[in-house]
Amino acid sequence: FRPVIGRIRGDAMTDVRAIGAQQIVEAGRFLYGRGWSPATSSNYSIRLDEHTALLTVSGKHKGQLTVDDVLATNLAGESLEAGKKPSAETLLHTQLYRLKPDVHAVLHTHSVNATVLSRLTQGDVLVLEDYELQKAFRGQVTHEGQIQVPIFDNDQDIARLAQQVEPWLLAHPDAVGYLIRGHGLYTWGRDMAETLRHIEAFEFLFECELKTRALTR
């Protein structure tokens, strides 16, 4: 998965869009195959340049995506391609691109582990502590310490949800993910490969937490 970065126009932008679309298609097949993006759930994106992102269109099966199942939007979440409807959650993607210039890919998944754990966890933060796989997250060099994953209550008003998420993003510049209760996980990175690595690490740790809670009840 190659990063898609830089401000590019003309034929070069067409090439960058094609690369980004293919990365999104491949990510969809991988995430669907792992059971983390069932049916038409989830949405994925890649930054094209400082003004534009490429996102999955609404209502597409994520294991059957084609390069035509993406569209370009501006960072206000508005479609730049006539006849294509962006995901309802586009603003949660473009928010990350606006606030974090180093973010070039965002993945939102609906795994069983993330959904159940977000419902079981009391309070608004899930704490992951002393796991070796914490080192899979960017900037983490030891198992010692904590990874704090905030949990926001689900809201069908995405603009309102984005307003709740934004202060936390600004206060935690090194964070790489958050949960929406009963809904799923948002993860991001400097490119698609790093973002997929973060998802795999989160999913492993979520499963560990669920199994630990089941065995220690």
Side-chain angles (χ1 to χ4, degrees):
F1 293 96
R2 292 168 289 177
V4 179
I5 59 176
R7 187 177 184 181
I8 308 172
R9 288 293 180 265
D11 292 341
M13 174 55 93
T14 300
D15 292 341
V16 168
R17 189 192 188 285
I19 293 169
Q22 188 59 40
Q23 288 187 6
I24 288 173
V25 167
E26 292 175 10
R29 291 172 182 166
F30 172 76
L31 295 168
Y32 173 76
R34 297 297 294 267
W36 299 337
S37 288
T40 59
S41 71
S42 306
N43 35 77
Y44 319 132
S45 69
I46 278 182
R47 184 198 294 271
L48 292 179
D49 61 25
E50 61 265 42
H51 303 293
T52 316
L54 195 64
L55 291 95
T56 46
V57 300
S58 180
K60 295 295 182 177
H61 191 291
K62 298 309 180 292
Q64 301 170 7
L65 290 175
T66 72
V67 293
D68 293 325
D69 295 328
V70 299
L71 79 161
T73 75
N74 60 27
L75 297 195
E78 300 165 334
S79 175
L80 301 177
E81 298 185 26
K84 288 189 175 183
K85 179 183 176 183
S87 164
E89 296 173 34
T90 296
L91 286 177
L92 297 177
H93 290 254
T94 56
Q95 174 183 64
L96 284 158
Y97 296 131
R98 285 190 296 102
L99 298 177
K100 295 177 174 290
D102 63 331
V103 169
H104 286 88
V106 179
L107 296 172
H108 171 47
T109 47
H110 286 230
S111 73
V112 171
N113 289 337
T115 302
V116 173
L117 192 57
S118 69
R119 290 171 62 92
L120 290 179
T121 301
Q122 300 296 314
D124 57 5
V125 176
L126 169 67
V127 177
L128 303 170
E129 188 171 14
D130 294 332
Y131 288 107
E132 179 68 14
L133 207 64
Q134 289 172 201
K135 294 191 294 184
F137 298 118
R138 184 178 65 180
Q140 300 296 318
V141 297
T142 177
H143 70 281
E144 297 174 338
Q146 295 181 343
I147 302 293
Q148 295 193 356
V149 186
I151 304 173
F152 298 96
D153 287 337
N154 199 12
D155 193 333
Q156 297 305 302
D157 186 329
I158 299 302
R160 183 168 59 199
L161 179 56
Q163 288 179 346
Q164 295 176 19
V165 172
E166 185 159 327
W168 182 87
L169 291 174
L170 293 172
H172 299 83
D174 296 329
V176 295
Y178 63 81
L179 287 163
I180 302 175
R181 199 179 306 277
H183 184 156
L185 171 70
Y186 268 87
T187 316
W188 52 90
R190 292 170 294 187
D191 55 34
M192 185 63 83
E194 182 175 79
T195 308
L196 286 165
R197 187 183 80 227
H198 289 164
I199 283 204
E200 286 199 83
F202 273 126
E203 288 297 336
F204 174 86
L205 296 173
F206 292 163
E207 186 171 356
C208 287
E209 283 290 305
L210 285 171
K211 288 186 175 181
T212 299
R213 294 184 187 198
L215 292 170
T216 56
R217 290 183 61 181

